[in-house]
Amino acid sequence: PADSTNEYIGGREDVPPVDGIAPAGLCSALVLIGAFERRSGRPVLGVINEPFFRRDPRTRRWQGRYHWGVAHGDTRLCSLSA
């Protein structure tokens, strides 16, 4: 599926990255959340969670990361630096 559910359930780790992008396996699983203003259709909030971003070589446990952004009126905030 487009949302990587199959790869998440399978827990595959044997697929190498292609040009730095994980095409399958746990590293391709993402959680995407978005909210928009109903009247205008403009996006207001977005969150991307990567639960399997990196595996700790010592403990072999997965480490995640997330990014978020908010845009409402004159407010523009995000977790990434310019």
Side-chain angles (χ1 to χ4, degrees):
D3 67 357
S4 299
T5 304
N6 190 43
E7 288 81 4
Y8 175 79
I9 292 169
R12 295 180 58 196
E13 300 177 43
D14 60 336
V15 181
V18 176
D19 295 327
I21 298 173
L26 292 175
C27 292
S28 68
L30 294 174
V31 178
L32 309 171
I33 300 171
F36 66 95
E37 188 177 87
R38 263 188 154 166
R39 283 189 219 139
S40 67
R42 292 184 188 140
V44 176
L45 168 76
V47 179
I48 300 171
N49 181 31
E50 297 177 83
F52 304 103
F53 172 65
R54 179 182 320 136
R55 195 164 201 179
D56 185 302
R58 188 174 49 82
T59 65
R60 303 291 293 156
R61 293 184 67 176
W62 285 102
Q63 298 171 335
R65 74 176 179 175
Y66 62 90
H67 309 288
W68 57 267
V70 176
H72 186 67
D74 293 334
T75 303
R76 303 279 189 272
L77 302 171
C78 73
S79 63
L80 298 173
S81 60

